[in-house]
């Protein structure tokens, strides 16, 4: 075939598996806890190298000392889960990983955004693996997704 040649591709999707997963969101949300926690922890670890050190003269609290990691926050009705990390200081804020909902959040500080760069791309594979594991746990033993 030459460059720009067109051909049709037929893709079959087993909708039963997707419906099964949609009807049992807690299984998928729980399965995503491990990869999302690991990614969020890694973002926090990377950001600790980037966060400004030392407190301002009028604020002796060191920004790095206010680091936190929290989660998971599951919402089965909206089929979402969120892990959060960041800094509990007015000068910083938090960043979220996962599938989250709600109003748009303020942009996180630059050192948190830079820490997420490579982690988000790396997160796709373990989340996909977790979802496939969740589907497998919902299907009969002889049936593979």
């Amino acid at each position: 075939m030459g460059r720009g040649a067109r051909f049709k591709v037929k893709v079959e999707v087993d909708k039963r598996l997707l419906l099964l997963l949609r009807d049992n969101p807690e299984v998928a949300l729980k399965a995503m806890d491990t990869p999302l926690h690991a990614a969020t922890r890694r973002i926090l670890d990377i950001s600790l190298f980037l966060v400004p050190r030392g407190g301002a003269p009028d604020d002796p609290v060191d920004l790095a000392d206010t680091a936190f990691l929290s989660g998971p926050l599951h919402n089965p009705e909206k089929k979402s889960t969120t892990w959060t990390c960041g800094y509990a200081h007015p000068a910083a804020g938090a960043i979220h990983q996962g599938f989250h909902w709600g109003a748009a959040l303020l942009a996180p500080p630059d050192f948190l955004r830079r820490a997420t760069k490579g982690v988000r791309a790396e997160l796709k594979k373990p989340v996909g693996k977790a979802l496939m594991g969740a589907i497998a746990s919902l299907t009969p033993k002889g049936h593979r997704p």
Side-chain angles (χ1 to χ4, degrees):
M1 276 192 207
R3 220 172 155 191
R6 295 182 187 200
F7 55 95
K8 293 182 181 182
V9 176
K10 185 176 180 179
V11 177
E12 290 185 28
V13 175
D14 189 347
K15 293 177 191 169
R16 293 176 302 122
L17 296 175
L18 293 175
L19 292 172
L20 188 61
L21 193 57
R22 184 194 69 192
D23 294 339
N24 298 284
E26 0 5 88
V27 175
L29 296 179
K30 188 165 174 38
M32 284 192 274
D33 282 348
T34 301
L36 290 174
H37 174 262
T40 309
R41 177 77 244 178
R42 185 157 181 220
I43 289 167
L44 186 61
D45 291 345
I46 293 169
S47 75
L48 283 168
F49 288 102
L50 303 171
V51 68
R53 298 289 172 163
D58 59 334
D59 183 9
V61 176
D62 189 352
L63 187 59
D65 292 339
T66 66
F68 72 90
L69 173 72
S70 69
L73 177 60
H74 292 171
N75 187 335
E77 294 80 35
K78 296 195 180 206
K79 296 170 182 59
S80 60
T81 183
T82 304
W83 279 84
T84 307
C85 71
Y87 299 86
H89 190 280
I95 197 160
H96 301 78
Q97 285 299 306
F99 302 92
H100 60 277
W101 64 98
L105 302 169
L106 296 174
D110 187 51
F111 54 86
L112 276 173
R113 274 198 322 271
R114 287 191 333 217
T116 31
K117 247 183 183 169
V119 177
R120 283 211 176 134
E122 294 170 7
L123 186 58
K124 289 178 183 178
K125 189 173 182 177
V127 164
K129 190 175 181 179
L131 284 174
M132 293 306 289
I135 290 172
S137 73
L138 292 170
T139 57
K141 295 294 180 209
H143 189 274
R144 291 190 67 184

